[in-house]
Amino acid sequence: MSHGTTTLHRGRKAAAATLIAAAAIALTAYQDTEADAAGAPSTATGGTATGKYAFAPDRTAGDRCTTDHLKAGWGTDGGGRPDMHSDNQQTVGVWLKNTGSGDCTLAGFPGVELVGNSGPGDTFDLRRGAQQPVTVHLKPGEHTSFTFKVLPSLTGSEKRIEPGRVNITPPNEKKHLTLRWPFGGAVLDQRGATHPGSWVSPIGVG
């Protein structure tokens, strides 16, 4: 929490009683400012969401959810299992659960890196989609989810990646969570595409 610097403008010398009273008022005002800052509701662009996608007015939502206090898994409340034998764009769902002892918030896009089976350098970092992020509020034990899109590759002549695992980096974090890729198949490698068919959505959106 940051604090502004309070500058006391003093006038001409006054009686001792007046100075003591002024100092008491200034101290009270500073303490009130501290309490207001600590209890002020947080504001997020795009709205506020809670676990299980329920939306609510903005409010104080605790600290940011960190990688150390999150658990990840495949799927969403609406499904999210891709058919890697289809030639259509597929949706993959990932849930994130708050395993900490206190409330926390997630806001923005997660990092999604597909890691292939061909050795070092066989990776594909998905770009961000165009959706507007929201803030997701999670109580201990609650979960939320996000999705990402992939274009399956069905022919060996295409530039593609066969995922073995996926690294998930929560927003504003440097450490990632790793999930084994259980769906098989291959993803069309579009790292150089202007408008790739594989991209990631914000947490709690869609």
Side-chain angles (χ1 to χ4, degrees):
M1 177 178 65
S2 61
H3 306 289
T5 302
T6 303
T7 303
L8 299 179
H9 298 281
R10 303 183 183 277
R12 292 177 177 268
K13 210 171 187 185
T18 304
L19 289 175
I20 293 172
I25 293 172
L27 177 59
T28 301
Y30 178 76
Q31 291 173 336
D32 289 343
T33 301
E34 289 267 305
D36 290 343
S42 59
T43 302
T45 303
T48 300
T50 63
K52 296 280 209 162
Y53 324 116
F55 288 84
D58 291 337
R59 59 181 175 176
T60 300
D63 296 329
R64 185 181 79 242
C65 298
T66 63
T67 306
D68 290 336
H69 294 124
L70 288 171
K71 182 179 181 180
W74 295 112
T76 67
D77 289 347
R81 182 179 180 87
D83 177 6
M84 298 306 294
H85 299 291
S86 170
D87 58 1
N88 296 318
Q89 185 186 59
Q90 298 294 303
T91 300
V92 185
V94 177
W95 54 259
L96 294 170
K97 179 180 179 180
N98 178 12
T99 61
S101 59
D103 295 6
C104 68
T105 59
L106 288 165
F109 292 84
V112 175
E113 180 187 49
L114 307 182
V115 181
N117 295 313
S118 298
D122 187 21
T123 61
F124 181 12
D125 290 296
L126 302 192
R127 296 187 188 180
R128 295 178 176 184
Q131 302 100 316
Q132 180 70 29
V134 299
T135 296
V136 180
H137 173 77
L138 295 178
K139 294 182 180 298
E142 286 188 335
H143 74 275
T144 185
S145 67
F146 68 91
T147 61
F148 61 91
K149 305 289 187 180
V150 295
L151 281 179
S153 174
L154 304 181
T155 64
S157 61
E158 296 175 324
K159 185 179 180 182
R160 62 184 192 164
I161 181 171
E162 297 180 3
R165 63 184 189 275
V166 179
N167 292 330
I168 307 294
T169 306
N172 303 307
E173 288 288 293
K174 294 182 178 180
K175 295 173 63 177
H176 61 257
L177 301 163
T178 299
L179 294 175
R180 183 182 61 84
W181 177 260
F183 308 114
V187 175
L188 188 63
D189 187 342
Q190 294 186 301
R191 278 175 282 191
T194 305
H195 301 289
S198 298
W199 43 270
V200 61
S201 296
I203 289 175
V205 177

